[in-house]
Amino acid sequence: MIPDKAPGEDVLHASGDLKKEAHVPSFEKYKELYIRSVESPEEFWGDVAKDFFWKTKYTGKFLDYNFDVTKGEIFVKCMEGATTNICYNVLDRNIYERKLGDKVAFYWEGNEPGDEKTVAYRELLQQVCKFANVLKSQGVKKGDRVSIYMPMVVELVVAMLACARIGAVHSIVFAGFSAESLCERIIDSQCCILITADGFYRGDKLINLKLIADEALQKCRDKSFTVEKCIMLKHLTKEDEAWSGSLSPPAKRACPDLQQEKQKERVRKVRPPPQVPWNPEVDLCWHSLIGGASEECEPVWCDSEDPLFILYTSGSTGKPKFEGLPTYPDVSRMWEIVDKYHISKFYTAPTAIRLLMKYGSEPVQKYKRTSLKILGTVGEPINPEAWQWYYSVVGEKRCPVVDTFWQTETGGHVMTPLPAATPMKPGSATFPFFGVVPAILNESGEELEGPSEGYLVFKQPWPGVMRTVYGNHERFETTYFKKFPGFYVTGDGCRRDKDGYYWITGRIDDMLNVSGHLLSTAEVESALVEHEAVAEAAVVGRPHPVKGESLYCFVTLNDGINYNQKLEGELKKQVREKIGAIATPDYIQNAPSLPKTRSGKIMRRVLRKIACNERDLGDVSTLADSSVIEQLFDNRCCTAV
């Protein structure tokens, strides 16, 4: 599972000053702790649980589960019967027990340089309690679902913690998603209220969030589901007297009139206020509501197995962790922020690293970055070239790179090196995290030993793993446990090398990883086929130097329809509106026929080769009509990257 000793030949041992710090474990200590975590999970996690406040203690087994569908319903239960409140643990204890009320909880950095805010724990608790009282005044109670569709502002955190404080379940929807996607997520979880904002900037691009939210709510009504109230944060349109109820400062650049831009001579520095759509029967102003709310709100004590939040597996990673972009207003923005706040840990996606690599080392080396101790990556496997640039240029070969593997479903990283303890291999997820027992299976479900490649699965749970698919437990069992009874199936391929290092090879099913966002090819194909001109569609991934993968789409049109630029534009628009801008196809190729087996199955392996203009197709003897291949090569899109 993990090697007996730390490998030493083809690995890097960078640790900078970390080895000098007493809390940094050795490889031997890591192995000792890991073995304890998998052989005595109750003892190991019990020690972790001591760091939390528990109103009541658990009554049954510490950790109980069933991963085998042949033995009954799949379940995971941890500390059942114990009660606590996550918001209380995060805020109240830090303030009142640890006396950290004046300690900084967040540094917020907005889109424009100078848009910034420092928030201490005590101030954060006050705002959380006030907004929790706002939610209660709107009838939100324990177990209710609340949809949050907001930009990266401090109020997003306030809304999440306020829900946790009163026992409500928050459902985060990435602010880059379309009205259709937001509507689906609201209906899926039967949300009683929507929290959003007027808009925000991503670089120079204005995102009119309220218009999208209104469209989503109308789509909900059209599907016979009504959300009674929508609370809107004035992020770009705050009046001076209103912003006192907000933790985010007034924006340096207000947003333009959302219907028609006025006063164009003032556009660069000061923008006129927007005309935000407003429905007084549904819409409520965050600032007006919170202004009169009490700063006292007792936490609701929840069972350890009560739901805390709902997250979707697609679109949750790889997005900028600031309000704007990592290249706005220039490509040195990230490193300026590192120096400004003396950041010690920098965590980003391989997509962002590849983007910044394009501009060379000079924008990085303009800044000192001496505060950096650890570099992290997340969201997709990182290619060795990007890893080396990150390690050598950004970290100056003194900062360990923590290349983490995790999924939304796992609730945290499950494969990762430990800084300065586990030697690194560029691109490897290294070793399992505490409590995680990985295995590699072949197609028949047989566990492979030693160097091997196959399906990555996990043998036993840990406290943070997902519990179900909301409202559809059967789907949960089918997706994650049915293929290989007795194992949690990640859906990812994995290779284990001779030293015991794990290498994630990517999604085994038909999923694409575009800029860290996991997209279903079936979902994109469905959006394309909804267009009246399209009879059939197939979507594959094509390597992209920045995004990781790009979408290459093949469409077969209905008889009598001609393919042209106008139709291509309509198809791209259709995908954007149905899924979101992140799913916009990079290439759409007219395909009068698709390569299919005699049973009618599309050979996506062949389509991937065509998308990459690779003529070595392997065995195509099962094709029903091999003449299709040459036709598709002749009609290939011009792919510049």
Side-chain angles (χ1 to χ4, degrees), residues 194-209:
L194 173 65
I195 305 170
T196 189
D198 49 3
F200 66 100
Y201 275 95
R202 182 167 291 141
D204 277 320
K205 184 180 180 182
L206 170 65
I207 309 296
N208 187 345
L209 216 55

Side-chain angles (χ1 to χ4, degrees), residues 403-459:
D403 182 17
T404 59
F405 168 71
W406 57 286
Q407 303 173 315
T408 305
E409 298 94 327
T410 64
H413 49 251
V414 286
M415 308 277 280
T416 178
L418 289 186
T422 50
M424 305 173 293
K425 289 190 180 184
S428 165
T430 317
F431 303 129
F433 194 60
F434 301 118
V436 177
V437 185
I440 296 178
L441 308 183
N442 62 18
E443 187 66 44
S444 301
E446 299 166 328
E447 186 171 349
L448 305 175
E449 302 294 338
S452 51
E453 185 167 352
Y455 291 86
L456 176 63
V457 299
F458 298 125
K459 293 183 175 183

Side-chain angles (χ1 to χ4, degrees), residues 149-160:
Y149 184 60
M150 299 181 77
M152 296 292 182
V153 292
V154 179
E155 288 82 2
L156 168 62
V157 179
V158 170
M160 293 165 61

Side-chain angles (χ1 to χ4, degrees), residues 578-593:
K578 288 292 180 181
I579 305 174
I582 193 67
T584 304
D586 296 87
Y587 308 100
I588 301 180
Q589 177 176 338
N590 182 23
S593 299

Side-chain angles (χ1 to χ4, degrees), residues 554-567:
F554 297 85
V555 294
T556 301
L557 304 181
N558 288 312
D559 289 342
I561 305 293
N562 293 319
Y563 191 87
N564 52 44
Q565 290 299 112
K566 180 175 180 293
L567 175 59

Side-chain angles (χ1 to χ4, degrees), residues 40-51 54 58 62 79:
S40 305
E42 181 169 345
E43 179 184 308
F44 179 86
W45 293 115
D47 285 347
V48 174
K50 291 175 183 175
D51 287 336
W54 301 94
Y58 68 96
F62 184 89
M79 299 183 69

Side-chain angles (χ1 to χ4, degrees), residues 72 87 107 174 187 234 277 310 340 352 416 437 455 486 588:
C87 179
Y107 292 109
F174 170 44
I187 294 175
K234 289 184 177 182
I310 297 170
K340 178 178 179 180
T416 178
V437 185
Y455 291 86
I588 301 180

Side-chain angles (χ1 to χ4, degrees), residues 236-257:
L236 295 179
T237 58
K238 291 189 282 287
E239 299 91 356
D240 290 341
E241 66 272 16
W243 96 272
S244 59
S246 168
L247 288 179
S248 297
K252 291 285 184 182
R253 174 172 59 176
C255 100
D257 188 317

